[in-house]
Amino acid sequence: MRDADLMPVTVLTGFLGSGKTTLLNRLVRQPAMRDALVVINEFGDIGLDHRLVAEGDEHSVVEMSSGCLCCTIRGDLSRSVQQAWEALERDGGRPISRMIIETTGLADPAPILQTLMTDHWLAHRFRLDGVVCLVDAANGLSTLNAHRESQRQAAIADCLLITKADLADDTRLARLREQLSTVNPAAEQLDVQHGEIDADRLTARRLPTPGKAGQQAEGWLNAASYTQVSLEPGLAPTPAEASAPLLSPATAAPLSRHGEQIRSFCFSVEAPIAPEVLEDWLDLLMSLLGDKMLRIKAIVNVAGQAQPLALHGVQHIFHPPVELPATACPDGISRFVFITSGVAPEAVTQLFDYFQAPEANRPS
């Protein structure tokens, strides 16, 4: 099945008390969410949130409790969705048109995205449409600084929804927006009151598909929003030197009490990249630092290929490359966007420099 024919999935995340259930209850009543399958992950043996979401003939609600979707019962996601799918077919219900996954407030969304990419049954039916993260305006600043999970939720999102703005003054709101822009500069920030927002504002943030205009790919990458880094002149480092998680206090993002350090930056390469350099670089990067690579997006001009490629990775896992029209990379410059945890840009660029250097000149 072509990627364009797969059903879109929106992952709804946000820390405890950020308003996910209120938002979801409003969303499922809108025509754009018609025939949606809603998966609600609850932590604990007795689930309550699913009872607060309206159920009707046009969508189904699947509750997953007794564990957190990002860790202990991640494998249950495929089984639960498959059972709901088969039940709808057996009962003659409406076909599923999209899926919404609401995570627990303590969930790291990255493993969920990995499951959508790697699970055979899910990957052949669904595609990621985007990650939406809710942030409580009243408590968001303290939550971001105190909880590793909150920072990772915000960093990996495509869209940030600021809730309960009426409970925060202008100064607090401005500081929260600044902090969110530091953690995730490319994500759109939207204010939401009492969960009311047009569902169309939250969708269509997906990985570009073949045949789509270059503007879609450019908007998906949004490279201009990130700090630009470049290769330093000089000898290429050894792999051990390049893979060291270099940290620079002058450019580091604020630390949480867990030692989390979220960084986001864009790395550009002007010349076409040899396919073996691209493969070796990303393979070693994922092998050495994969758990610290929260999200990677790229539009790459590969040597010997007429069409640029769109790459999307989450930690150790990459989505299959997507061929784009030439208009997606009109200047021929490859651009990589990295959102990392505790890894400085130099650790990424120097490792690329190592593989880019002629083999005879590489230090052993």
Side-chain angles (χ1 to χ4, degrees):
M1 183 180 291
R2 297 181 309 160
D3 186 73
D5 298 326
L6 301 177
M7 298 179 195
V9 180
T10 298
V11 176
L12 190 64
T13 189
F15 203 71
L16 299 169
S18 59
K20 296 187 298 297
T21 300
T22 299
L23 176 75
L24 187 57
N25 214 349
R26 303 292 192 274
L27 286 179
V28 298
R29 300 174 186 273
Q30 299 184 33
M33 294 292 130
R34 180 184 176 94
D35 306 326
L37 174 65
V38 180
V39 179
I40 298 177
N41 179 215
E42 301 190 80
F43 193 85
D45 294 327
I46 301 176
L48 296 176
D49 282 358
H50 71 287
R51 301 179 186 276
L52 303 178
V53 177
E55 294 193 59
D57 296 335
E58 296 180 342
H59 59 86
S60 301
V61 176
V62 176
E63 179 222 1
M64 298 174 60
S65 58
S66 76
C68 178
L69 192 61
C70 74
C71 46
T72 58
I73 62 169
R74 186 172 58 170
D76 286 349
L77 175 61
S78 180
R79 288 190 293 274
S80 297
V81 175
Q82 187 170 354
Q83 289 170 2
W85 181 296
E86 293 173 348
L88 287 172
E89 288 185 339
R90 185 173 57 250
D91 299 339
R94 294 176 180 269
I96 298 170
S97 62
R98 66 165 46 246
M99 181 163 62
I100 306 172
I101 300 174
E102 180 198 354
T103 74
T104 73
L106 298 174
D108 176 357
I112 300 170
L113 305 190
Q114 291 179 336
T115 301
L116 293 172
M117 292 179 184
T118 59
D119 181 86
H120 184 270
W121 192 89
L122 290 172
H124 281 76
R125 290 165 178 82
F126 296 93
R127 58 168 171 80
L128 178 65
D129 192 55
V131 180
V132 176
C133 176
L134 280 71
V135 182
D136 176 355
N139 302 304
L141 272 174
S142 58
T143 300
L144 283 168
N145 289 324
H147 296 280
R148 169 182 182 271
E149 299 85 359
S150 177
Q151 284 198 14
R152 294 170 77 93
Q153 290 166 355
I156 210 169
D158 299 291
C159 179
L160 295 165
L161 301 184
I162 299 177
T163 63
K164 307 178 186 179
D166 55 319
L167 301 181
D169 57 34
D170 291 344
T171 300
R172 178 175 289 271
L173 268 175
R175 289 174 58 202
L176 175 61
R177 294 186 197 281
E178 182 180 2
Q179 178 80 330
L180 289 173
S181 295
T182 300
V183 172
N184 190 340
E188 183 180 13
Q189 297 183 20
L190 300 173
D191 290 347
V192 177
Q193 294 289 343
H194 310 295
E196 296 289 350
I197 190 170
D198 190 338
D200 291 335
R201 298 291 305 275
L202 307 182
T203 58
R205 298 173 182 273
R206 56 177 297 192
L207 179 74
T209 54
K212 293 292 184 180
Q215 288 82 355
Q216 183 203 21
E218 183 179 343
W220 168 76
L221 190 65
N222 198 7
S225 297
Y226 296 89
T227 301
Q228 305 294 311
V229 300
S230 59
L231 290 171
E232 294 294 332
L235 293 176
T238 66
E241 292 170 336
S243 63
L246 307 174
L247 300 177
S248 170
T251 58
L255 286 169
S256 76
R257 64 185 177 92
H258 295 280
E260 187 79 4
Q261 197 168 37
I262 303 297
R263 293 167 164 271
S264 55
F265 55 92
C266 177
F267 169 46
S268 301
V269 181
E270 294 188 5
I273 302 174
E276 62 274 14
V277 170
L278 180 65
E279 182 177 354
D280 290 345
W281 173 52
L282 292 179
D283 280 351
L284 189 55
L285 198 61
M286 294 298 99
S287 175
L288 294 172
L289 302 170
D291 60 328
K292 300 180 181 296
M293 296 291 164
L294 302 185
R295 205 164 181 186
I296 300 173
K297 296 180 180 182
I299 297 178
V300 187
N301 179 18
V302 180
Q305 296 190 20
Q307 294 179 287
L309 298 179
L311 302 180
H312 179 220
V314 179
Q315 294 185 327
H316 295 280
I317 306 299
F318 266 94
H319 187 281
V322 176
E323 287 190 348
L324 299 175
T327 53
C329 191
D331 56 7
I333 298 177
S334 300
R335 293 177 173 87
F336 298 84
V337 166
F338 290 89
I339 301 175
T340 70
S341 169
V343 179
E346 293 88 347
V348 174
T349 59
Q350 290 178 10
L351 188 59
F352 177 83
D353 197 21
Y354 172 81
F355 286 109
Q356 184 80 320
E359 190 168 352
N361 296 341
R362 294 178 187 174
S364 57

